[in-house]
Amino acid sequence: MKIQDDNENYRQLCFKCMRPISSCYCKYTAPINCGIKFVFLMHPKEAKKQRTGTGRLASLCLPESEILMGIDFTKNKRLEELLNDPQYYPVLLYPSPDAWTCSKEGFKETIQGKKLLAIIVDSTWFCSKKILRFSTNINSLPKFSFTGNYKSIFTFKHEPQEYCVSTIETCYYLIKELQLTGIVNKEISPEPLMTVFKQMIKFQLQKENDRIEGKLPNSHAKDWKYTRKKEIPNF
């Protein structure tokens, strides 16, 4: 697939990750057949972040996952089909005082052998609240949150709170915690999610350093503000 950039140059894109072939992430991915149906509700602003959008990265490792784009999902036909499908038990991954966690007894019995349908809002926290306000069909779903406290390794993105993690990390920790309940097979490894995520972080930090050193042109209007090189983690 070829697209034309602003400089009238052509570059080839990978059909799967939508990255340039020269920096394709697919070689770092592997399928995770965890038995969970992930659905990413992606805000249009997030859909534009092809370089750092972690929902898209997560979907590369989750074979049955789907990405639905929008703000108001109340009348989204595909989402309604999934929510009304009797084979699924839908939950919204979102913190809430009454949210299910793996530390609460009875969750495995509650889903009654159904397949977990994990709805994840893929957006900034500000835009996520807007999606939930408009999309009453997901806001009313049972909520699921984490038992553990996790800190994101997304070092070049500022989260509103320390406990906030990226979409791909949410998938990773959800699988890990559900393995403790027996809902997900303990033999299934979710590590491909973190593998591709870490590669993306290192790639983006290296490109930022290359820009600061003058090896690459500025690509954003505010790039001139950032002149201090970033430390690239040794994952």
Side-chain angles (χ1 to χ4, degrees):
M1 176 181 180
K2 293 184 178 181
I3 66 170
Q4 192 171 10
D5 63 23
D6 293 336
N7 296 319
E8 298 299 318
N9 294 319
Y10 287 91
R11 55 178 178 167
Q12 288 189 317
L13 292 186
C14 170
F15 279 107
K16 290 184 65 178
C17 68
M18 300 304 294
R19 294 282 308 165
I21 294 294
S22 59
S23 57
C24 173
Y25 293 139
C26 292
K27 58 181 173 290
Y28 303 113
T29 67
I32 303 170
N33 297 304
C34 58
I36 302 172
K37 172 78 173 180
F38 285 92
V39 176
F40 303 102
L41 304 184
M42 186 178 291
H43 192 281
K45 290 184 179 180
E46 191 69 23
K48 297 178 181 178
K49 298 179 181 179
Q50 290 188 7
R51 295 184 300 174
T52 58
T54 68
R56 196 184 307 277
L57 274 185
S59 69
L60 298 176
C61 297
L62 301 167
E64 294 188 54
S65 63
E66 295 186 37
I67 296 175
L68 306 178
M69 190 175 72
I71 297 176
D72 182 358
F73 290 91
T74 305
K75 296 181 180 180
N76 185 283
K77 183 178 179 181
R78 177 55 182 159
L79 181 59
E80 284 300 299
E81 287 176 353
L82 291 169
L83 294 179
N84 292 309
D85 191 326
Q87 71 172 307
Y88 295 124
Y89 184 87
V91 295
L92 175 65
L93 271 291
Y94 206 80
S96 172
D98 61 346
W100 281 102
T101 67
C102 288
S103 63
K104 291 185 179 180
E105 295 183 2
F107 181 67
K108 187 175 182 180
E109 290 72 23
T110 298
I111 65 177
Q112 298 179 342
K114 293 184 178 182
K115 191 170 190 173
L116 199 64
L117 179 67
I119 309 293
I120 300 178
V121 179
D122 186 30
S123 177
T124 63
W125 283 92
F126 175 81
C127 291
S128 294
K129 291 178 181 178
K130 186 175 182 180
I131 289 175
L132 291 179
R133 187 168 69 251
F134 284 111
S135 307
T136 55
N137 54 341
I138 61 169
N139 200 20
S140 60
L141 293 174
K143 294 178 176 60
F144 196 96
S145 189
F146 297 128
T147 297
N149 296 316
Y150 306 108
K151 185 175 181 179
S152 179
I153 63 170
F154 211 166
T155 53
F156 61 90
K157 181 178 180 181
H158 299 289
E159 297 288 3
Q161 298 293 337
E162 189 174 271
Y163 62 79
C164 298
V165 295
S166 66
T167 298
I168 198 168
E169 290 169 304
T170 296
C171 298
Y172 175 81
Y173 291 122
L174 175 65
I175 294 171
K176 294 282 283 187
E177 291 203 355
L178 288 176
Q179 287 178 321
L180 300 176
T181 67
I183 293 175
V184 175
N185 190 329
K186 292 182 179 180
E187 301 300 317
I188 301 296
S189 174
E191 294 306 322
L193 288 165
M194 295 303 288
T195 297
V196 67
F197 185 41
K198 290 174 181 178
Q199 290 297 328
M200 185 271 281
I201 291 173
K202 291 194 289 185
F203 177 84
Q204 293 300 327
L205 289 175
Q206 183 60 59
K207 289 299 181 182
E208 177 66 8
N209 289 345
D210 288 346
R211 184 197 62 78
I212 292 170
E213 292 178 352
K215 297 177 182 178
L216 293 173
N218 290 347
S219 56
H220 296 89
K222 295 182 180 180
D223 278 349
W224 62 272
K225 292 184 177 182
Y226 306 103
T227 58
R228 182 178 298 178
K229 291 178 64 176
K230 308 295 194 304
E231 181 180 354
I232 299 176
N234 183 25
F235 291 127

